[in-house]
Amino acid sequence: METLAAALTRTRATIEASLDAMLTPPGEPSALDHALRHAVMGGGKRVRPSLTLLCAEACGGETGPESDALRAAVAIELLHCYTLVHDDLPAMDNDTERRGQPSVWAKFGEDLAILVGDRLQAMAFGELSECRRAAALLGPLVAAATLVVDGQVADLATAKRPPETWDADTLYGIYAFKTAALIRAACQLGAIAADAPTPIQQALADYGREVGLAFQLVDDLLDADQAVEGGEGLNALRVLGAEEVRRRAEAHTAAALAALDALPDGAPILRAFAQSLLTRLT
Amino acid sequence: METLAAALTRTRATIEASLDAMLTPPGEPSALDHALRHAVMGGGKRVRPSLTLLCAEACGGETGPESDALRAAVAIELLHCYTLVHDDLPAMDNDTERRGQPSVWAKFGEDLAILVGDRLQAMAFGELSECRRAAALLGPLVAAATLVVDGQVADLATAKRPPETWDADTLYGIYAFKTAALIRAACQLGAIAADAPTPIQQALADYGREVGLAFQLVDDLLDADQAVEGGEGLNALRVLGAEEVRRRAEAHTAAALAALDALPDGAPILRAFAQSLLTRLT
């Protein structure tokens, strides 16, 4: 059987090839083409779209070129990239770098960065318009696109409030929207693209949500290990303490694994993926 | 028979009511709710979504509550509003006012204005996700969402080039994308929502494109009449001269009217609408 590492390498390569083809214009690239490429081809791990493909495969679905699953995976990644481009803007997080490269606005200007984000969101929905199951896939992508914005709004509002008012509800309100909603949609779209029955679609949506929460909590724990004195902004450690964050990360992972029981063979690769999140802590 | 003025008043009221309901949250409005409402309910003429409804009616389609035509009309207006919110940003046109009110960023901050635009685009696609003909409607909305960004990119690039390099191609490249693409989509979506046969969909798309170009050229002529020494940025007058702009506005109107010949009864209201654009000049 294929290992998790091999599966992630394979799905990542498929997605990179698809994104690369889509962002290679037929003629001389324009400034917008360069900026779109910079925004998308910056070397992400492609975890979200890989989950779309792995969920589709777990349901016995087709994930080859021009499949609904691959198009949905690309849509999820384009949506994710657009949020990163806009989050980096000076009026938002004011980040001049991302993954060791200048952020889109730092390299191409704020005006073009705003438009690149706008265009990537349109392109995400454009991928769905090419799908055989476009109507069924549209709702979950809309929900994710709406909730990531709501999460970012909540994040900005929280940052303006005194840290002593931050509590577990504040944290989950943001994490559930900003991170978990997109990962939930990634998994759900994979199931829909594979034409899975509704209970399986629901189980994989639940799996995605729990994996998303575990992923974010583990990220906070790893950040704290690396930072000299912990993060300055909102993070789980600051609100809940390390022990409670670890306990919750384990609980969300367990919930993710439980959701997989609905699948006929228990979806070993998806099971291994959920477990790998906690392994990062060891 | 209903007059054009009565038809526009009626369709505008329908659209306002739909937008108002959608932007009235069940509980206490959040800052985001206030900002979304400010962005959308600022008193536009609702020309684009009215055209969606009038085109659907011209094809004998349903335009009542929960109809695909009304949802598509609302989607077009949400898309239009998002582009205005982002165009006004300091990094773009840096406009502090719109229709006599503070622009969204001037009132709610740049960060929230970026997010409001992002959310309105997601909401536009969300309207389609509720449609019976979602899959058929999605493509044209994606095309419009993509082209309006390309038009804005071309506009920004042109503004940075010396005015003596501006020519008719530059102008049409921007007008066709920024203005005509959205009006074209508005008309085309009305036809699709009404389940019109493909040749009629195409005829109304052509009508929308020509009306969009005439609309923009007439706007430039009116602006010049009002301005003391003409516009500073790119506009048709500066590139083509008043006489040629008027000639082209008439030619695009004639092309719009010719497209309507494909409709069984010649679509008298749509015909009157196209003609009304030139009447603004008299």
Side-chain angles (χ1 to χ4, degrees):
Chain A
M1 207 192 85
E2 190 181 32
T3 62
L4 172 63
L8 288 174
T9 303
R10 173 177 57 81
T11 50
R12 181 180 173 176
T14 304
I15 290 147
E16 293 283 340
S18 213
L19 292 169
D20 183 47
M22 138 179 251
L23 294 166
T24 303
E28 191 65 26
S30 66
L32 177 63
D33 291 328
H34 283 298
L36 286 168
R37 207 176 163 84
H38 186 82
V40 175
M41 300 307 284
K45 293 195 297 293
R46 317 297 188 193
V47 173
R48 293 161 188 79
S50 287
L51 280 171
T52 304
L53 296 182
L54 295 177
C55 284
E57 289 174 357
C59 300
E62 174 63 41
T63 58
E66 306 194 5
S67 65
D68 278 13
L70 182 53
R71 290 197 196 278
V74 166
I76 283 287
E77 185 64 13
L78 293 173
L79 192 69
H80 177 57
C81 291
Y82 122 65
T83 64
L84 299 182
V85 173
H86 280 188
D87 283 0
D88 284 343
L89 284 167
M92 307 272 273
D93 297 345
N94 195 21
D95 278 323
T96 54
E97 279 199 18
R98 175 164 295 275
R99 301 193 193 108
Q101 296 283 321
S103 55
V104 176
W105 74 266
K107 190 171 165 103
F108 295 94
E110 267 185 79
D111 48 4
L112 206 52
I114 294 165
L115 292 165
V116 161
D118 292 347
R119 184 96 152 29
L120 289 173
Q121 181 169 192
M123 287 166 73
F125 286 103
E127 281 300 300
L128 289 203
S129 75
E130 305 285 321
C131 288
R132 278 183 297 276
R133 294 175 196 81
L137 295 163
L138 188 53
L141 194 71
V142 164
T146 305
L147 292 172
V148 289
V149 173
D150 291 355
Q152 184 67 8
V153 170
D155 200 3
L156 289 171
T158 303
K160 289 170 189 165
R161 281 184 6 224
E164 54 272 24
T165 67
W166 300 345
D167 60 14
D169 284 349
T170 315
L171 188 84
Y172 270 73
I174 295 170
Y175 284 9
F177 285 180
K178 266 187 80 168
T179 313
L182 193 54
I183 298 184
R184 180 183 190 277
C187 294
Q188 190 183 7
L189 290 179
I192 296 171
D195 235 348
T198 310
I200 303 288
Q201 290 178 22
Q202 184 58 51
L204 286 179
D206 291 346
Y207 167 83
R209 178 175 183 281
E210 298 298 329
V211 156
L213 290 169
F215 180 83
Q216 183 67 58
L217 294 174
V218 167
D219 234 39
D220 282 0
L221 284 166
L222 291 173
D223 272 359
D225 287 352
Q226 286 159 15
V228 178
E229 38 186 311
E232 274 178 51
L234 176 75
N235 69 67
L237 253 67
R238 189 164 179 166
V239 175
L240 301 169
E243 200 180 327
E244 175 65 7
V245 173
R246 183 180 283 266
R247 196 195 65 72
R248 288 181 184 229
E250 286 167 3
H252 289 300
T253 305
L257 295 175
L260 295 180
D261 291 342
L263 277 89
D265 65 349
I269 289 282
L270 296 177
R271 196 166 289 272
F273 179 83
Q275 282 163 338
S276 74
L277 298 175
L278 291 176
T279 319
R280 292 168 67 201
L281 295 176
T282 57
Chain B
M1 206 191 86
E2 191 182 29
T3 62
L4 173 63
L8 288 174
T9 304
R10 172 176 59 79
T11 50
R12 182 180 173 174
T14 305
I15 291 148
E16 292 282 340
S18 211
L19 292 169
D20 183 48
M22 138 179 252
L23 294 167
T24 304
E28 189 67 26
S30 66
L32 177 64
D33 292 328
H34 283 297
L36 286 168
R37 210 178 158 81
H38 185 81
V40 176
M41 301 308 284
K45 293 194 298 292
R46 315 298 186 193
V47 173
R48 292 160 189 79
S50 288
L51 280 172
T52 305
L53 296 182
L54 295 178
C55 283
E57 289 174 356
C59 300
E62 174 63 40
T63 58
E66 306 194 4
S67 65
D68 278 11
L70 183 52
R71 290 197 197 278
V74 166
I76 284 286
E77 186 64 13
L78 293 172
L79 193 69
H80 177 57
C81 290
Y82 120 66
T83 64
L84 299 182
V85 172
H86 280 187
D87 284 359
D88 285 343
L89 285 167
M92 307 272 273
D93 296 345
N94 195 23
D95 278 323
T96 55
E97 279 199 16
R98 176 165 294 276
R99 300 192 195 106
Q101 297 282 321
S103 55
V104 176
W105 75 266
K107 191 171 165 105
F108 295 94
E110 267 185 79
D111 48 3
L112 206 52
I114 294 165
L115 292 165
V116 161
D118 292 346
R119 186 104 156 17
L120 289 173
Q121 182 170 190
M123 288 166 73
F125 286 104
E127 280 301 298
L128 288 203
S129 75
E130 305 286 321
C131 288
R132 278 184 298 278
R133 294 176 196 81
L137 294 163
L138 187 52
L141 194 71
V142 164
T146 305
L147 291 172
V148 289
V149 173
D150 291 356
Q152 183 68 9
V153 170
D155 200 6
L156 290 170
T158 303
K160 288 170 190 164
R161 283 188 0 228
E164 54 273 23
T165 67
W166 299 345
D167 60 14
D169 284 350
T170 315
L171 188 84
Y172 270 73
I174 295 169
Y175 284 9
F177 286 0
K178 267 189 82 169
T179 313
L182 194 54
I183 298 184
R184 180 183 190 279
C187 295
Q188 190 183 7
L189 290 178
I192 296 171
D195 235 348
T198 311
I200 303 288
Q201 291 177 22
Q202 184 59 50
L204 286 178
D206 292 345
Y207 166 83
R209 178 175 183 282
E210 298 298 329
V211 156
L213 289 169
F215 180 81
Q216 183 67 60
L217 295 174
V218 167
D219 234 38
D220 282 0
L221 284 167
L222 291 173
D223 271 359
D225 287 351
Q226 285 158 14
V228 178
E229 39 187 310
E232 275 178 51
L234 176 76
N235 70 66
L237 252 66
R238 190 165 178 164
V239 175
L240 301 171
E243 199 180 329
E244 174 65 8
V245 173
R246 182 182 282 265
R247 196 195 65 73
R248 288 183 184 228
E250 286 168 3
H252 289 300
T253 305
L257 295 176
L260 295 180
D261 291 342
L263 277 90
D265 66 347
I269 289 283
L270 296 177
R271 196 165 289 270
F273 179 82
Q275 282 164 339
S276 74
L277 297 175
L278 292 176
T279 319
R280 290 169 68 203
L281 295 177
T282 57

